[in-house]
Amino acid sequence: MTNMRELGLPVRKWVPNWLALISIFIIILPITMLNGSYTGSMLEVSNTLGTNTEDITMGYYAASAGMAIAYPIVPKVLSAFSVKFLLLADLALQFILSWICARSQSADILIVASFAIGFLKGFLMLWFIRHAQKIFSPKNVRSEFYSYFYPLVYGSGQISMVLTAELAYHYNWKYMYYFMMLLLLLAILLVIVCYRHNRPLQKIPIEELHLREMFVIAIGLLMLMYVINYGKILDWMSSYKICAYIAIAPILIAFFVWMQYHSETPYVNLAPLYQPKAIVGYFYMMLIMFFSTSTTLLTNYMTSILKVDSTHSYVLYIWLLPGYILGAFICFWWFRWQRWRFRFFIAGGMACFAIFFGILYFGISPESTYEMLFFPIFLRGLGMLALIIAFALFAVEDLNPKFLLSNAFFLIIFRSVLAPIIATSFYSNTLYRLQQKYMHSLSETITMADPLAASKFSQSLTSGLAQGHEYSEATQLATTSLYTTLQQQSLLLALKEILGWLFIITLIIAIISRFIPFHKTIRVTFAKTGVIWYNKKQNKNDYQKNYSMQLGDFIICPQYDGCTYRYIIGRKS
């Protein structure tokens, strides 16, 4: 077992190694599950507070934005404060913010508190990453670490969503906040008992915190999120707020980029934006999250067509967890063996999304079953996590290690903030407009001259009269029943069209990804390690190597199609 004291964990002398190891995961468990707004209780919260579900969505993604804003300054704070002081202060503040969210009657307070919770989560997440990297991968192999870290984070978030739905259904939506407060109290107690102060507190110069830059990018990002999220319910350009934020948000973001470009000590270094691999990685991860957020369409199908309650709708997504585990397992061994080309892996991941959308497109109907959705949800989890790990590795492949925090800043903003909130808005708007289109189209043909419509109307009318209603009331009930049927049919047609397009798009992307040379042929000089001479007339495994090579040295050589093969003492990737 890894010796936690050797890894720099400041525990007391009497604390056994196993307890020190467990303490890290007990502390990080509530952090991975905590949020200011839980989508699992979206309907309950919006009904109680008299707000729109968009308010809960805004709060949920505001937490991710807060975490991105915090990341660049986390190392300065971690080096200035004692670990015990930082943990206690952070956990205590999150406890207070959770209590505020539970007692709040305002959606605006929920959103602000969610942003603050996300900001505080950033400090503990990076603290956890520093230790977990040595626990999960003692040799500091990034692919091995990601194969443990990402399923832990995404799996905990998924469990919190299911737990929120269960607590909101059986008790009250506030109970999720109380449950998280108990977990935070447990973590605080563990820190007080097991940890010690490892350094005196130091002052951080105020200019090193870059408060102006943080304020500018936070306001610009939240305004942009507001436009994307509330555009539909505020009727886009009919709202003066939307018009104002559309003008102000780009100016603030451009001003932030300008400040970082001209600063000698920038808050966020723009170097990752100059790396082609990082840009490709951000783009693909935005696509992945765009496709993953399509489960909002599935929720509409279950609640409106299958008549499944909100609890069972979110419990269905527990089937993502086996997909996460299998995806992480595949990534672990794929990148350890490195026997096949990277583009095969990407094509396979995108194929999982194509199969997911294909099964839904051909399978959803009023006669479908709840159980039919288990396998496609599993495939979505498999494809999502495998591709996220792959492109997280790809984005930093040629990046200087000192820019990793800047990469994390851009990665979280693109992957966890902009992509899902854009996808949520797109699916919501598209589904609404297509449903109205098909509703209008179907209504034109519904008359008493239509035998099917007349039969449906007559059955409902007869049933109403048999129940003792007056003729006018029975007629109204029959009309309402027919209208409900039309709504279901229009929703089903709208879902079919969206899922059909998504199936075609993901299939095309999977095919194209199979032929994209993600790793171009490059020349590398190896100092004191060795050189490979490669003859294209020979077999690709027929090469000469210098005997000064050590186990683990990477050698890159060209292949016929312009891709790159990496050799670890003769093994290709």
Side-chain angles (χ1 to χ4, degrees):
M1 182 184 292
T2 305
N3 191 316
M4 303 310 298
R5 290 179 178 83
E6 292 180 359
L7 298 183
L9 194 67
V11 293
R12 299 182 188 274
K13 293 181 179 180
W14 60 267
V15 177
N17 196 53
W18 63 267
L19 181 57
L21 179 62
I22 292 174
S23 70
I24 293 181
F25 294 96
I26 292 178
I27 291 170
I28 204 61
L29 177 63
I31 303 305
T32 56
M33 298 175 66
L34 188 64
N35 206 306
S37 301
Y38 297 97
T39 55
S41 58
M42 183 182 294
L43 293 176
E44 289 81 0
V45 176
S46 59
N47 291 336
T48 303
L49 302 183
T51 61
N52 299 300
T53 55
E54 282 79 6
D55 295 319
I56 311 304
T57 303
M58 182 71 181
Y60 184 78
Y61 293 118
S64 298
M67 185 183 294
I69 301 300
Y71 258 47
I73 66 167
V74 170
K76 296 184 179 68
V77 176
L78 289 180
S79 61
F81 296 114
S82 163
V83 170
K84 183 174 183 178
F85 175 81
L86 178 69
L87 292 177
L88 289 176
D90 199 302
L91 292 170
L93 287 173
Q94 295 199 52
F95 179 89
I96 295 171
L97 288 169
S98 295
W99 181 81
I100 291 173
C101 291
R103 307 299 298 175
S104 172
Q105 297 297 316
S106 170
D108 293 334
I109 293 177
L110 278 180
I111 294 171
V112 173
S114 297
F115 181 85
I117 286 174
F119 186 85
L120 293 170
K121 284 173 64 175
F123 294 93
L124 294 192
M125 284 298 292
L126 193 57
W127 170 81
F128 171 74
I129 288 171
R130 287 184 171 184
H131 293 289
Q133 192 166 14
K134 300 171 185 177
I135 296 170
F136 293 141
S137 180
K139 295 182 180 180
N140 199 22
V141 179
R142 186 175 284 116
S143 61
E144 293 181 2
F145 169 64
Y146 284 175
S147 298
Y148 289 103
F149 176 72
Y150 276 107
L152 175 66
V153 172
Y154 281 99
S156 299
Q158 203 61 50
I159 291 172
S160 74
M161 187 181 296
V162 175
L163 187 60
T164 304
E166 290 286 348
L167 290 174
Y169 180 79
H170 293 289
Y171 302 101
N172 189 290
W173 61 268
K174 296 181 180 181
Y175 276 65
M176 184 59 187
Y177 294 102
Y178 298 146
F179 176 73
M180 296 310 302
M181 289 166 68
L182 287 176
L183 291 182
L184 289 170
L185 282 177
L186 176 63
I188 290 172
L189 181 62
L190 195 64
V191 172
I192 292 173
V193 173
C194 297
Y195 284 67
R196 59 178 174 81
H197 292 286
N198 61 328
R199 68 169 69 91
L201 303 184
Q202 300 175 5
K203 291 183 178 180
I204 303 178
I206 195 69
E207 61 273 7
E208 291 187 9
L209 293 178
H210 301 279
L211 296 180
R212 183 182 63 171
E213 289 91 334
M214 281 197 294
F215 179 78
V216 169
I217 189 58
I219 298 299
L221 188 59
L222 289 174
M223 283 185 174
L224 182 60
M225 292 168 61
Y226 185 94
V227 171
I228 297 169
N229 189 56
Y230 290 100
K232 175 188 170 185
I233 62 173
L234 296 179
D235 197 18
W236 296 104
M237 304 306 291
S238 299
S239 168
Y240 75 92
K241 274 190 177 181
I242 296 292
C243 294
Y245 291 172
I246 285 177
I248 296 172
I251 294 174
L252 290 177
I253 295 173
F255 179 56
F256 170 79
V257 172
W258 182 85
M259 284 193 296
Q260 304 316 296
Y261 182 79
H262 291 88
S263 174
E264 294 181 359
T265 56
Y267 160 67
V268 174
N269 199 296
L270 302 180
L273 299 181
Y274 300 123
Q275 290 285 342
K277 286 187 177 180
I279 298 299
V280 172
Y282 299 156
F283 174 73
Y284 260 89
M285 275 192 274
M286 288 187 72
L287 284 179
I288 294 162
M289 295 309 298
F290 185 87
F291 296 141
S292 297
T293 312
S294 63
T295 46
T296 55
L297 301 174
L298 205 53
T299 303
N300 277 281
Y301 168 69
M302 286 189 288
T303 55
S304 300
I305 306 298
L306 298 184
K307 302 300 181 183
V308 175
D309 58 63
S310 59
T311 303
H312 285 85
S313 296
Y314 286 103
V315 168
L316 172 68
Y317 299 132
I318 205 73
W319 285 91
L320 288 169
L321 298 182
Y324 291 164
I325 294 171
L326 181 59
F329 178 81
I330 292 173
C331 285
F332 183 91
W333 289 107
W334 183 286
F335 293 109
R336 167 174 278 196
W337 287 341
Q338 301 202 39
R339 293 181 181 276
W340 302 281
R341 298 178 187 177
F342 185 75
R343 59 179 180 230
F344 294 158
F345 187 88
I346 304 307
M350 280 296 174
C352 288
F353 278 104
I355 298 171
F356 166 69
F357 290 123
I359 292 175
L360 293 183
Y361 176 74
F362 292 107
I364 62 171
S365 70
E367 291 76 28
S368 297
T369 62
Y370 177 79
E371 291 73 16
M372 182 274 291
L373 302 172
F374 292 169
F375 183 63
I377 290 293
F378 166 79
L379 286 178
R380 203 219 80 179
L382 170 62
M384 171 189 160
L385 198 78
L387 290 176
I388 281 180
I389 293 175
F391 281 108
L393 294 169
F394 182 79
V396 299
E397 197 169 79
D398 294 336
L399 195 64
N400 191 317
K402 68 181 181 179
F403 300 137
L404 287 178
L405 283 176
S406 297
N407 172 73
F409 172 84
F410 293 115
L411 191 63
I412 294 174
I413 287 179
F414 288 126
R415 183 193 66 202
S416 302
V417 180
L418 293 181
I421 203 168
I422 289 172
T424 301
S425 177
F426 172 80
Y427 293 133
S428 175
N429 280 274
T430 306
L431 185 63
Y432 173 77
R433 295 185 182 280
L434 287 176
Q435 190 175 2
Q436 294 301 310
K437 167 191 165 184
Y438 286 116
M439 187 69 180
H440 179 74
S441 176
L442 292 172
S443 299
E444 290 180 340
T445 61
I446 299 297
T447 64
M448 293 304 291
D450 182 0
L452 187 61
S455 174
K456 179 76 173 176
F457 182 84
S458 299
Q459 287 179 359
S460 300
L461 180 62
T462 304
S463 175
L465 292 172
Q467 294 173 5
H469 295 286
E470 295 182 0
Y471 184 81
S472 59
E473 292 179 353
T475 303
Q476 183 64 37
L477 289 173
T479 305
T480 303
S481 175
L482 196 59
Y483 179 76
T484 302
T485 302
L486 288 178
Q487 278 190 317
Q488 292 179 350
Q489 290 297 321
S490 61
L491 175 62
L492 194 60
L493 289 170
L495 287 171
K496 284 273 190 179
E497 181 168 339
I498 296 174
L499 292 171
W501 280 109
L502 289 174
F503 170 61
I504 293 171
I505 291 170
T506 49
L507 186 61
I508 291 173
I509 292 176
I511 295 171
I512 292 175
S513 297
R514 160 62 182 85
F515 299 99
I516 294 178
F518 288 98
H519 295 93
K520 299 249 182 216
T521 302
I522 56 177
R523 295 178 180 273
V524 180
T525 302
F526 295 89
K528 299 181 180 180
T529 56
V531 180
I532 278 186
W533 293 272
Y534 181 81
N535 186 345
K536 290 186 177 180
K537 295 181 180 179
Q538 298 174 339
N539 183 275
K540 62 185 177 186
N541 290 323
D542 183 14
Y543 59 88
Q544 296 175 334
K545 69 176 186 296
N546 188 308
Y547 286 100
S548 65
M549 291 292 299
Q550 300 296 321
L551 183 63
D553 290 338
F554 283 79
I555 302 175
I556 303 176
C557 62
Q559 188 44 239
Y560 300 106
D561 56 359
C563 294
T564 298
Y565 276 85
R566 286 185 173 175
Y567 287 85
I568 309 176
I569 307 304
R571 295 196 307 178
K572 67 183 177 65
S573 65

